Amino acid sequence: MGHWIYCLCSRVADSLMLLLVLAVSCNPSTAATASSTAPHIKPSYSFGRTFLGLDKCNACIGTSICKKFFKEEIRFDTWLSSRLKLPPSYLLSYSGNYTDDAKSWRMVDITRLTTKYQHDRADKRICTSLLKTKTCSLEHALRRTHRFQKWLRAKRLTPDLVQGLPSPMLRCPSQRLLDRIVRRYAEVPDAGSIYMDHLTDRDKLRLLYTLSVNSHPILLQIFPDVEGWPFPRYLGSCGRLVVSASTRPLRDFYGAAPEVAADLALQLLAVLRSMGTNDLNYFFYFTHVDAGTFGVFSNGHLFIRDASTLGIIDKEEGSQLIDSQQEYKDIFSCLTVDCQSAFVSCNSIREKHSLVMVCQELLPKLLKGKFLQPLQEKIDSFLQHCASGLADDQGINEATAKLAELLKPLQSCDSRFAYRYPDCKYSDKY
């Protein structure tokens, strides 16, 4: 009997509580008072799939870092305001902040492989050329192509699968280089294999799309900074955005103090030497350089900021495609470039190729009018000799070596050059 009365009382109490809740929710003033005691919900950043390019996947770069965006562990600088507005989608690059513990933040660069306008134009080209429509499923259209069907059947990435792609990195491909791409492709779980068994159909399309649009993120993955390569660290991709360690473009240092300019010029020459001579026997060359090609970290260390114009020749294996075979072209050959663009012959690339371009485009702007005479005159003379390109490879190398000899005594040892300070205090070189 006591148990029955207890149950009845409990049910009555529950009913009264339910009526009370309903009464509060129906009375606006009461509800407002009740909600004021609830914990404040932090406003969140509103991401559109279109901004990130996720609506285009799997004709995109990858999704390895998407969680960081949605968990607000990657923030654009403009997000520091209370309104939390996303930056304009038409920009090519953005400055951002990245964290692993929500306490310490570091600067990152968030970039697109091409401008949004170029992406949109390429998407339209896919639909109109493959399906004869203005809009379509990009993935469906690209999956039907002869090239991708070959990729689906392939067990290994071979030169014939990449022939005709516009990336300078793939104009003179070797099997050793292609195996490195598959083995180190960071948008999939690391399998350490040269075979593509661990790549799903989706992964293959993303890799092919990235190589067709811009090979910059692939170069950062297969030649990582932790192994000493002069590239910023690849942190991941989300849709059509790539996240990497932040650098300031070299153009920001054209007005730098003489000792800073000398230090950067010496680093630039050292990077070019390492691109021509390295332990893996790859020869890197530029097809184009400008003020944004190189960048400088906050510690003063110079890196290649934009690797999209880097070509690679394998000095160990050589090219496995003869130049005439590279005339094969399809939709993947012209997503971002003119389909009529001619390929540069692998045999026409000389060792002095990149040095001449840097002497023409970058070093004069970095070193012009920085030093007293007669030193400035000697520097200008060596730069003119290098920029003319008239000398052979050995002559250009000798000119740049003499230029380095002139600049070396101008390097200072202080905290502005954190990448080598305070080690330089204990070195006889300074």
Side-chain angles (χ1 to χ4, degrees):
M1 182 68 175
H3 178 73
W4 179 85
I5 293 174
Y6 174 82
C7 293
L8 178 61
C9 292
S10 297
R11 290 177 182 175
V12 171
D14 290 343
S15 300
L16 289 173
M17 181 61 70
L18 177 60
L19 289 172
L20 178 61
V21 171
L22 290 173
V24 170
S25 63
C26 291
N27 188 330
S29 60
T30 308
T33 303
S35 64
S36 64
T37 61
H40 177 66
I41 299 176
K42 186 178 72 171
S44 184
Y45 306 113
S46 177
F47 262 118
R49 291 171 60 82
T50 302
F51 181 86
L52 293 170
L54 282 171
D55 59 325
K56 307 294 186 180
C57 285
N58 292 303
C60 63
I61 313 167
T63 56
S64 61
I65 210 165
C66 287
K67 287 184 179 179
K68 285 279 187 182
F69 278 105
F70 291 114
K71 290 168 64 179
E72 300 174 19
E73 293 176 346
I74 295 177
R75 298 187 176 190
F76 294 88
D77 278 354
T78 53
W79 286 7
L80 300 179
S81 66
S82 58
R83 296 184 180 181
L84 308 176
K85 287 185 177 179
L86 289 172
S89 61
Y90 58 79
L91 297 177
L92 183 60
S93 62
Y94 310 89
S95 202
N97 297 278
Y98 175 102
T99 184
D100 287 317
D101 55 16
K103 296 178 182 178
S104 58
W105 294 80
R106 50 192 166 118
M107 293 290 293
V108 293
D109 289 333
I110 305 169
T111 56
R112 301 182 188 277
L113 297 192
T114 69
T115 63
K116 190 174 186 303
Y117 167 75
Q118 290 174 308
H119 268 311
D120 292 343
R121 190 174 63 172
D123 294 344
K124 184 177 180 180
R125 184 180 295 158
I126 292 171
C127 293
T128 55
S129 63
L130 296 180
L131 297 182
K132 312 302 180 185
T133 60
K134 291 184 178 180
T135 59
C136 69
S137 165
L138 299 177
E139 180 172 357
H140 178 65
L142 294 177
R143 277 178 172 272
R144 295 175 56 179
T145 60
H146 175 66
R147 186 191 294 266
F148 187 66
Q149 289 301 312
K150 287 180 64 177
W151 272 63
L152 288 179
R153 296 189 297 268
K155 291 289 186 182
R156 192 175 183 182
L157 187 60
T158 51
D160 63 294
L161 296 178
V162 299
Q163 64 177 327
L165 295 185
S167 168
M169 182 181 73
L170 299 172
R171 288 180 184 172
C172 315
S174 69
Q175 188 59 58
R176 185 168 71 114
L177 176 63
L178 298 179
D179 287 344
R180 189 176 182 87
I181 292 174
V182 173
R183 197 169 61 245
R184 295 187 168 218
Y185 182 41
E187 287 299 310
V188 299
D190 181 19
S193 172
I194 62 174
Y195 297 102
M196 295 197 290
D197 298 335
H198 62 294
L199 270 63
T200 64
D201 295 357
R202 175 200 65 193
D203 298 329
K204 289 182 179 180
L205 181 57
R206 291 178 180 178
L207 176 57
L208 174 56
Y209 179 84
T210 307
L211 291 172
S212 302
V213 175
N214 188 327
S215 59
H216 170 77
I218 303 299
L219 273 159
L220 269 56
Q221 294 169 43
I222 66 176
F223 297 109
D225 66 310
V226 293
E227 294 180 2
W229 298 97
F231 301 109
R233 180 166 301 181
Y234 177 81
L235 298 172
S237 299
C238 184
R240 289 181 170 179
L241 290 180
V242 178
V243 183
S244 59
S246 177
T247 58
R248 289 176 59 192
L250 187 62
R251 69 171 68 90
D252 290 358
F253 296 86
Y254 283 167
E259 60 271 20
V260 174
D263 184 80
L264 292 175
L266 284 167
Q267 287 192 72
L268 190 51
L269 294 175
V271 166
L272 293 181
R273 282 197 300 273
S274 70
M275 294 287 91
T277 305
N278 50 75
D279 293 342
L280 293 185
N281 225 9
Y282 287 115
F283 173 64
F284 297 76
Y285 66 93
F286 287 99
T287 58
H288 170 78
V289 295
D290 58 37
T293 301
F294 295 89
V296 183
F297 282 122
S298 58
N299 64 359
H301 206 171
L302 181 136
F303 276 61
I304 296 174
R305 188 171 190 256
D306 180 4
S308 62
T309 63
L310 267 181
I312 302 178
I313 295 176
D314 191 335
K315 294 195 291 186
E316 187 171 301
E317 285 190 2
S319 171
Q320 295 199 13
L321 281 180
I322 59 175
D323 293 329
S324 60
Q325 286 179 300
Q326 294 190 355
E327 294 306 316
Y328 172 84
K329 292 179 180 178
D330 61 1
I331 187 63
F332 292 99
S333 307
C334 52
L335 288 181
T336 56
V337 297
D338 182 2
C339 287
Q340 304 306 315
S341 299
F343 286 106
V344 176
S345 169
C346 300
N347 297 326
S348 67
I349 305 300
R350 303 261 63 86
E351 185 178 342
K352 67 179 183 180
H353 187 85
S354 297
L355 271 171
V356 171
M357 283 195 292
V358 167
C359 287
Q360 290 173 342
E361 300 295 330
L362 303 182
L363 288 177
K365 297 173 183 176
L366 186 63
L367 300 175
K368 183 179 180 180
K370 290 289 174 66
F371 310 103
L372 298 175
Q373 300 295 359
L375 177 60
Q376 185 69 57
E377 184 178 354
K378 291 180 179 179
I379 290 175
D380 293 342
S381 175
F382 282 125
L383 287 178
Q384 290 172 5
H385 181 67
C386 172
S388 69
L390 297 177
D392 57 15
D393 290 351
Q394 183 176 353
I396 296 294
N397 287 333
E398 289 175 355
T400 52
K402 291 178 180 177
L403 175 62
E405 288 178 11
L406 291 174
L407 294 174
K408 189 66 178 175
L410 303 177
Q411 277 187 316
S412 63
C413 180
D414 59 62
S415 57
R416 287 176 298 172
F417 311 101
Y419 76 95
R420 55 179 172 82
Y421 181 86
D423 293 349
C424 57
K425 293 177 63 176
Y426 310 101
S427 172
D428 296 335
K429 297 179 181 179
Y430 300 92

